Amino acid sequence: MSEAFIYDHVRTPRGRGKPDGALHEVTSLALATHALREIQRRNNLDTKLVEDVVLGCVDPVGEAGGNIARSATLCADYGDQAPGVQINRFCASGLDAVNFAAAQVMAGQHEMTIGGGVESMSRVGIGASGGAWPVDPAVAIKSYFMPQGVSADLIATKYGFSRDDVDAYAVESQKRAAKAWNEGRFARSVAPVKDVNGITLLAKDEHMRPQTNMQSLAALKPSFAMMGEMGGFDAVGIAAHPEVESVDHVHHAGNSSGIVDGAAAVLIGSKEGGSAAGLRPRARIRAFTTIGSDPALMLTGPVDVTKKLFARAKMTKEDIDLFELNEAFASVVLRYSQAFDIDPEKLNVNGGAIAMGHPLGATGAMILGTVLDELERTGKERALVTLCIGAGMGTATIIERV
């Protein structure tokens, strides 16, 4: 097996996923194209060396459909020889795109690839691609389908996290993200998005609310109580987990991930591929894996997949310097930290999706880049990146500096 190295990564800032968001006028294709062009520009990359582009996109319909990865390579002037493929593993699509791109290198089939993702949630609404899981009783009933927010509340109830617990975590995410931006920790990797006239549309994550405190969050009503209680999904959760007598609804917009627009790209290659491009590797991809998990709890997959990855890589949590877990909901992170007894100073040290937002298909590639930058900034060696996934799954990747 060949080794797969990370040579560079780049992302757009995250724009609020609403019609008045700064990136609303930018199509999914334009966002993905921007990330690919920036990877090329930053590395003076001969794009003829790129042998595949794998992009995650969770709602690949309309302007985001039709294999957006191939369209983006053409739009970014990578040349006819650069193929592209779009993948969808829900929220982990961006990380799995990196893993899939790396696997081609590790298998010796390609010398240089790009993995990444894109989502314009202001233009292509969440759930636009539909699917059988939420609506077809043949799968919905047996899998205890419920909306993710209700699952997040079920996790909080089952594992003992109060409203104060999840709100306190959200406040900390906002503080950490604001500090990271103020100290320039993202400056190396965020490529501002400009319009056709060269005017900057967005240079900084737009969703952040650094003024957030416990008092402001306390004023927000639970977002998923009505669908849980009136919609019958609390009963579904209790049927799946009868040890829970009732569901305590603790999540709201302030302690859940933000809906945003964005794109990211990660340049991956073999040692020989990097040498041909005149590049030095920044990190190697040490190991990665995926797993299916409880579809009712749905969002505990990061715990299960991390256990699997540690076993396959013959490692323990003591081998990991930094953990980066997508903040889909506060209870997801709290359960992960509880399961492994992780030092808070090692987990999401620069904030996460509660503060900065979660552009579904791109997030996995974004947070991998974030933690790589943090390894370099702090002189640490190894990090684990993971995300929870709809329908009960998990993906995780370990990277280490070289």
Side-chain angles (χ1 to χ4, degrees), residues 11 146 203 226 389:
R11 72 168 176 93
M146 65 188 82
M226 182 172 291
I389 308 173

Side-chain angles (χ1 to χ4, degrees), residues 13-213:
R14 300 168 173 100
R16 283 189 301 113
K18 296 182 178 181
D20 62 351
L23 297 182
H24 176 63
E25 69 181 69
V26 186
T27 66
S28 302
L29 175 59
L31 289 172
T33 298
H34 180 58
L36 294 183
R37 283 178 174 162
E38 283 298 306
I39 278 285
Q40 188 282 324
R41 183 191 64 79
R42 288 159 55 100
N43 296 282
N44 193 26
L45 179 65
D46 179 357
T47 58
K48 291 185 175 60
L49 298 173
V50 177
E51 297 178 275
D52 203 5
V53 175
V54 187
L55 295 183
C57 185
V58 174
D59 282 299
V61 295
E63 66 183 39
N67 188 2
I68 193 169
R70 174 58 171 167
S71 296
T73 63
L74 295 172
C75 198
D77 299 318
Y78 271 45
D80 295 349
Q81 84 295 331
V85 61
Q86 173 268 324
I87 69 165
N88 179 12
R89 204 192 297 272
F90 297 149
C91 296
S93 299
L95 183 59
D96 266 317
V98 173
N99 293 342
F100 286 19
Q104 296 181 70
V105 172
M106 297 165 78
Q109 301 307 302
H110 293 320
E111 300 297 337
M112 182 159 288
T113 59
I114 291 174
V118 61
E119 210 80 42
S120 176
M121 300 179 75
S122 71
R123 298 177 64 90
V124 182
I126 186 170
S129 58
W133 173 49
V135 298
D136 189 336
V139 63
I141 292 173
K142 67 168 60 178
S143 63
Y144 296 95
F145 169 78
M146 65 188 82
Q148 283 194 358
V150 179
S151 289
D153 288 337
L154 179 62
I155 291 169
T157 305
K158 179 177 174 66
Y159 292 103
F161 306 125
S162 68
R163 171 68 182 261
D164 282 349
D165 291 333
V166 292
D167 282 358
Y169 182 81
V171 170
E172 184 64 19
S173 178
Q174 294 282 358
K175 288 180 178 178
R176 291 185 176 193
K179 181 179 180 181
W181 268 106
N182 291 338
E183 294 183 356
R185 298 184 190 181
F186 301 135
R188 178 178 180 182
S189 303
V190 174
V193 178
K194 301 180 180 181
D195 66 12
V196 294
N197 297 311
I199 298 172
T200 298
L201 296 173
L202 188 64
K204 183 178 180 180
D205 294 323
E206 189 180 21
H207 184 268
M208 295 188 300
R209 297 178 176 87
Q211 74 281 3
T212 298
N213 56 38

Side-chain angles (χ1 to χ4, degrees), residues 306-324:
T306 296
K307 291 177 180 177
K308 178 182 177 182
L309 186 58
F310 280 160
R312 293 181 68 86
K314 296 180 173 57
M315 297 170 69
T316 69
K317 74 168 188 177
E318 282 70 31
D319 296 308
I320 305 299
D321 298 306
L322 294 172
F323 292 85
E324 196 73 21

